[in-house]
Amino acid sequence: MKFREKLGTEMLIFDGAMGTQLQARGLQAGELPEVWNITHRDIIREIHRAYVQAGCDILKTNTFGANALKFEGTPYTVSEIVQAAVENTRAAAAQTEREIFVALDLGPTGKLLKPYGELEFSKAYTLYREQILAAKENVDLILIETMGDLYEIKAAVLAAKENADLPVAVTMIFDEQEKLLTGANIETALFTLEGLGVDMIGFNCGLGPVQMLPLVQKISKIGSTPIAVNPNAGLPVCVNGVTSYNVSPAEFADALAKIAGCDGVQAVGGCCGTTPAHLAAAVRTCKGIQPKSVKEKTFTVVTSYDRTVYMGEHPILIGERINPTGKKRLKTALLEGDEGYIFSEAVAQADSGAHVLDVNVGLPEIDEPAVLERTVQGLQSITDLPLQIDTSDTGAMERALRIYNGKPLINSVNGKQESMDAVFPLAKKYGGVVVCLTLDEHGIPDSAAGRIKIAEKIIKTAESYGIAKKDLLIDTLAMTVSTGADNAEITLEALRYIRYTLGIHTVLGVSNISFGLPKRDSINAAFFTLAMENGLSAGIINPKSDAMMNAYYAFCALKGMDNNFKQYIAHVTDSAVPAKAETGTDLKTAVVKGLKAEAGEQAKQLLQRTAPLEIINTHLIPALDIVGQGFEKGTVFLPQLLMSADAAKAAFDEIKQVIVQSDADTEKKKDKIVIATVKGDVHDIGKNIVKVLLENYGFDVIDLGKDVSPEVILETAKREQVRLVGLSALMTTTVANMELTIALLRREYPACKIMVGGAVLTQDYAKRIGADFYSRDAMGSVRYAEKLFAE
């Protein structure tokens, strides 16, 4: 029986940890576990057999880190490692007559993707593609696990779906605030992955089964996809210099049974610290639990990388300003490549209350596919609002959908068969909610009935492509009343029927109703109110229009969508404040908003009248503090933090030039900090983030890179006479080298303090291995450094 057929018929049991099992058999700290597929085949097969004997149904290949980045400089190719791993797993599975499924195990690359890191999306795709091609003929499913970046997950999922016809499961590592490393919450990750069509979604690593249960309960309530859950055997502790996990097999199995009983959970197993004994206990307690069927949910949602927007809770505002039609300044910006102006329009609309931003760059004079792709990437680096990808060029549409981080709105398809055949396959492949225009080969019907008929045809055709009604928004087309007195009523009648009889959400380009008339805002606002009353789910409007926003907030207040009139009062109070003259974005705002080009330009202007250190102390540091405090409070997430840091760096670069040209001796001597990822660990995402933030707060960071020996760290710290060393480790197999490094520094250079961080660490663990400070995030490192050097 194939895996998809088996799924849901009985509770399937994944195996447990590989890394900690290899450590127990002699794997040295920093040694690549995947190499043992070739050098220690018998041990790998022995571990797999132990999990088979425990009763597991799914074996994970020992390929978690088997990508080309990590195997540079080794004598083995990725294909050799992966194929040997699959052979070992198959050999163990063959020891029983039970049906055993083999999962190709793909872990994170260890790099952060652009625009927040250095790895191109296409390169991440290629890394995963190489592993998949080496294994696809001999595995039953692909497991993408321990993922903390939604964008990297998308690269892996596309590589899996485009290069193999296999089920794809994704399990992610969320922290105790229920966030991925790059900020996505559970619902955002879920809806994005459901849009991409993965077969199973769930969690692994980071947390034990008790801590993971609330996450499972949450995803169970909103998801429509089978759930897989592989917790750790509790949280890591350090015992006699060895990483250990303190949840017993019996405790683990009892907690896992509660997870297995949740709606939609169809596979459970173990991650770090779990042993064949843990899994044998899990088989005894969980195998007999009949999986509860997955209940199809009907949420219509779009997402960015960290924000989910639901249709139906209240009318959604789609900002229309990034569209060159009738906008000379935007057209000029597109022709001249002035991304700064485009980004400032996005920020202004977000600040004005837009929930989604329309993105249209359609001009005959430009390369629309390239410009749309670049603009979408750029906008996602400075705003967390979901985007509406607006183009009639399906080539441009696909390029933008491919690199979009989240589940976007797609504008648009219409009732022409040619249009549906071109757009629906893209929506099915990449995920998204499709705006559907009620026109066809015969044009726009002049009756509500005609538009409803086209809507019904679009709905039926979408279903044939596997696209559900919840992923459609019907646009009944607002036609200007200047050419027909009944135009508004025709639009509203069709709108009302589609929303309340067909049960599908709706959208309109509201301002089209007033084309050709004077004082258009008055007509637009009145029509907008009528449309919302008649079932409009989302309006494409100008959020910078007072008339439109007044109508919106008043409507929500009167319809009971605004608890205690909070939003209405806040809006009218803000509106009562006299508007400032249009002077552009100041430096502080540019940094907070992550506007890199604007920050550099504002710094240049300030330098003409303000001393460099004054700019740093009164503009840059306060701006970084605003973002940093937001990050610490959970209102700002890693992407915004990094883009603000980039904007600050652009300003610092301008300031440095002036300081160098003047008197370099007057520059304050910076405090030095050495940072490194410990020996054997090639994951440097966290370390690189810390570096960026420390540098922006004025520290001189000596970055030794990744896979750094204790001796090199000691030598550098002594030579540079630093007072602080920062160490990072991601893997359970490399934290032992962190402890060795700390011991060496304590013995040979006790004058320095040591701070540590990494996914496998806890406060208790850090204390046990002798660190002075444990930082759970990058801002924690900045705060500790500030405190240390202030003393």
Side-chain angles (χ1 to χ4, degrees):
M1 184 180 291
K2 291 188 176 181
F3 184 78
R4 285 194 181 102
E5 297 169 353
K6 190 78 169 181
L7 199 58
T9 62
E10 62 183 70
M11 187 63 63
L12 297 177
I13 311 296
F14 275 96
D15 61 9
M18 175 61 73
T20 46
Q21 289 292 295
L22 290 177
Q23 284 180 306
R25 290 164 172 81
L27 180 75
Q28 297 301 301
E31 190 177 359
L32 292 173
E34 295 81 11
V35 171
W36 280 40
N37 290 315
I38 294 174
T39 60
H40 296 74
R41 290 176 185 266
D42 290 345
I43 292 177
I44 298 296
R45 295 183 182 193
E46 172 197 329
I47 295 170
H48 285 315
R49 281 196 300 271
Y51 283 122
V52 171
Q53 291 164 4
C56 296
D57 303 299
I58 307 169
L59 299 181
K60 302 186 292 284
T61 58
N62 180 35
T63 52
F64 178 83
N67 67 67
L69 290 180
K70 297 178 183 177
F71 276 80
E72 290 176 345
T74 71
Y76 305 108
T77 67
V78 169
S79 292
E80 288 172 337
I81 292 290
V82 171
Q83 289 169 3
V86 173
E87 289 173 8
N88 293 334
T89 315
R90 281 290 176 203
Q95 300 298 308
T96 179
E97 294 183 359
R98 286 193 302 113
E99 185 172 36
I100 302 292
F101 297 103
V102 173
L104 173 64
D105 191 347
L106 303 179
T109 62
K111 296 288 185 181
L112 202 59
L113 272 64
K114 290 185 177 180
Y116 318 116
E118 60 190 49
L119 188 64
E120 294 282 359
F121 181 85
S122 58
K123 176 63 175 176
Y125 172 92
T126 301
L127 291 170
Y128 288 117
R129 179 177 181 270
E130 183 178 15
Q131 296 172 76
I132 291 161
L133 290 177
K136 68 176 186 177
E137 300 299 332
N138 293 303
V139 297
D140 302 297
L141 68 150
I142 296 169
L143 173 65
I144 302 165
E145 66 149 320
T146 322
M147 303 298 282
D149 180 1
L150 191 56
Y151 205 28
E152 185 176 40
I153 296 172
K154 180 172 183 176
V157 170
L158 288 177
K161 286 187 159 292
E162 291 178 350
N163 295 284
D165 183 21
L166 292 168
V168 178
V170 176
T171 57
M172 298 163 282
I173 179 169
F174 283 82
D175 61 23
E176 293 176 348
Q177 284 71 47
E178 299 183 356
K179 298 285 185 182
L180 294 180
L181 171 68
T182 49
N185 56 27
I186 290 173
E187 59 185 354
T188 297
L190 168 73
F191 292 129
T192 299
L193 295 179
E194 287 191 336
L196 288 168
V198 303
D199 297 272
M200 297 186 80
I201 300 171
F203 312 102
N204 79 292
C205 205
L207 302 171
V210 173
Q211 296 86 1
M212 206 169 273
L213 178 60
L215 279 64
V216 178
Q217 292 169 331
K218 179 172 289 189
I219 202 172
S220 177
K221 290 178 181 177
I222 59 176
S224 304
T225 303
I227 300 168
V229 187
N230 294 322
N232 289 349
L235 300 176
V237 295
C238 181
V239 179
N240 298 323
V242 178
T243 303
S244 303
Y245 293 82
N246 57 8
V247 174
S248 70
E251 292 170 326
F252 179 82
D254 288 344
L256 196 63
K258 294 178 181 178
I259 289 174
C262 294
D263 287 350
V265 174
Q266 298 189 357
V268 294
C271 197
C272 297
T274 57
T275 66
H278 285 83
L279 272 299
V283 169
R284 289 193 294 270
T285 58
C286 299
K287 189 62 182 176
I289 297 174
Q290 182 61 37
K292 295 179 181 177
S293 60
V294 178
K295 298 174 182 176
E296 181 70 23
K297 314 303 189 303
T298 58
F299 300 114
T300 297
V301 299
V302 292
T303 80
S304 64
Y305 58 84
D306 76 344
R307 181 180 294 205
T308 296
V309 173
Y310 289 81
M311 302 291 169
E313 293 182 345
H314 55 76
I316 297 303
L317 303 179
I318 303 173
E320 68 181 9
R321 297 292 301 168
I322 305 176
N323 185 324
T325 304
K327 302 180 185 70
K328 292 182 180 179
R329 179 66 185 88
L330 181 62
K331 181 177 179 180
T332 300
L334 288 169
L335 292 173
E336 296 178 352
D338 183 2
E339 292 183 339
Y341 177 79
I342 298 169
F343 296 168
S344 65
E345 276 289 342
V347 170
Q349 291 184 96
D351 289 345
S352 297
H355 305 114
V356 177
L357 298 179
D358 182 72
V359 187
N360 184 313
V361 300
L363 290 174
E365 303 96 324
I366 66 174
D367 179 355
E368 185 179 353
V371 173
L372 183 60
E373 177 182 15
R374 187 167 62 246
T375 302
V376 166
Q377 283 183 315
L379 287 170
Q380 287 211 286
S381 74
I382 57 95
T383 179
D384 66 347
L385 294 187
L387 302 182
Q388 174 170 269
I389 295 170
D390 185 357
T391 178
S392 58
D393 182 331
T394 53
M397 182 181 290
E398 176 156 24
R399 284 182 64 169
L401 287 172
R402 189 171 187 83
I403 55 86
Y404 182 80
N405 192 0
K407 180 182 179 182
L409 267 173
I410 302 171
N411 191 359
S412 59
V413 74
N414 60 55
K416 297 178 182 178
Q417 194 63 46
E418 179 184 16
S419 173
M420 293 186 287
D421 289 343
V423 174
F424 282 145
L426 297 181
K428 179 63 177 176
K429 177 178 181 178
Y430 295 108
V433 174
V434 187
V435 172
C436 307
L437 310 182
T438 50
L439 62 87
D440 61 11
E441 290 85 355
H442 305 292
I444 302 172
D446 58 6
S447 68
R451 297 182 199 182
I452 291 167
K453 185 176 181 181
I454 292 174
E456 291 173 331
K457 178 176 72 172
I458 292 173
I459 295 165
K460 184 176 181 180
T461 305
E463 185 180 7
S464 72
Y465 279 97
I467 298 172
K469 292 195 299 183
K470 66 181 180 182
D471 285 327
L472 304 176
L473 283 185
I474 306 296
D475 186 340
T476 57
L477 301 173
M479 307 296 292
T480 177
V481 291
S482 64
T483 61
D486 294 335
N487 281 349
E489 183 51 40
I490 291 169
T491 298
L492 295 174
E493 182 183 345
L495 189 81
R496 190 165 54 247
Y497 183 89
I498 288 167
R499 179 70 194 97
Y500 297 120
T501 301
L502 298 183
I504 297 181
H505 286 288
T506 59
V507 62
L508 284 174
V510 177
S511 61
N512 294 334
I513 200 71
S514 64
F515 187 77
L517 294 173
K519 296 197 173 189
R520 295 181 63 188
D521 264 4
S522 298
I523 295 289
N524 292 344
F527 178 68
F528 188 30
T529 302
L530 288 170
M532 288 188 287
E533 179 62 17
N534 281 274
L536 181 65
S537 305
I540 304 172
I541 69 161
N542 177 10
K544 297 164 72 175
S545 164
D546 285 341
M548 296 299 282
M549 298 307 287
N550 288 341
Y552 174 77
Y553 286 111
F555 176 84
C556 290
L558 292 170
K559 294 293 286 186
M561 301 173 181
D562 183 1
N563 187 34
N564 294 324
F565 292 83
K566 289 179 182 178
Q567 292 183 323
Y568 174 79
I569 293 171
H571 170 70
V572 297
T573 302
D574 290 343
S575 299
V577 178
K580 294 181 180 179
E582 291 287 339
T583 56
T585 304
D586 63 31
L587 177 56
K588 189 174 178 181
T589 302
V591 172
V592 170
K593 299 293 185 182
L595 300 174
K596 185 175 179 180
E598 186 72 15
E601 183 59 35
Q602 288 297 320
K604 276 185 184 179
Q605 295 180 21
L606 277 173
L607 284 166
Q608 296 174 13
R609 59 184 186 274
T610 310
L613 288 179
E614 184 180 346
I615 296 173
I616 292 172
N617 292 328
T618 63
H619 294 268
L620 291 179
I621 297 301
L624 288 169
D625 279 339
I626 290 172
V627 179
Q629 289 163 12
F631 182 76
E632 290 166 335
K633 294 176 181 176
T635 58
V636 169
F637 304 108
L638 183 62
Q640 297 103 304
L641 188 71
L642 293 178
M643 297 314 296
S644 293
D646 275 353
K649 184 177 183 300
F652 272 121
D653 287 344
E654 298 295 336
I655 293 168
K656 286 177 185 176
Q657 293 181 33
V658 174
I659 292 175
V660 170
Q661 291 167 6
S662 58
D663 185 2
D665 293 335
T666 63
E667 184 181 2
K668 178 185 175 183
K669 188 175 181 181
K670 295 179 179 179
D671 296 304
K672 292 182 179 180
I673 303 172
V674 167
I675 64 171
T677 301
V678 299
K679 183 179 179 180
D681 203 318
V682 296
H683 299 83
D684 58 0
I685 292 175
K687 184 263 299 174
N688 290 344
I689 294 167
V690 169
K691 176 187 176 182
V692 169
L693 296 183
L694 287 172
E695 287 180 334
N696 277 340
Y697 272 84
F699 296 102
D700 182 4
V701 180
I702 302 168
D703 181 6
L704 299 180
K706 59 193 178 184
D707 190 18
V708 185
S709 71
E711 293 76 18
V712 169
I713 295 170
L714 171 65
E715 178 187 345
T716 307
K718 291 176 71 174
R719 183 181 67 248
E720 299 293 336
Q721 296 184 326
V722 300
R723 292 177 56 197
L724 179 60
V725 171
L727 303 176
S728 172
L730 178 73
M731 307 294 292
T732 56
T733 54
T734 60
V735 288
N737 281 333
M738 179 179 282
E739 185 175 11
L740 291 173
T741 303
I742 293 172
L744 183 63
L745 287 168
R746 289 280 183 251
R747 186 170 64 250
E748 303 292 336
Y749 189 51
C752 77
K753 297 290 186 181
I754 303 165
M755 62 181 180
V756 298
V760 295
L761 297 177
T762 63
Q763 176 65 55
D764 180 67
Y765 196 109
K767 183 178 179 180
R768 286 174 179 270
I769 62 176
D772 295 293
F773 178 73
Y774 162 69
S775 182
R776 59 178 296 274
D777 57 45
M779 279 308 301
S781 301
V782 172
R783 300 302 185 215
Y784 179 69
E786 287 181 319
K787 179 181 178 182
L788 176 66
F789 289 108
E791 294 174 351

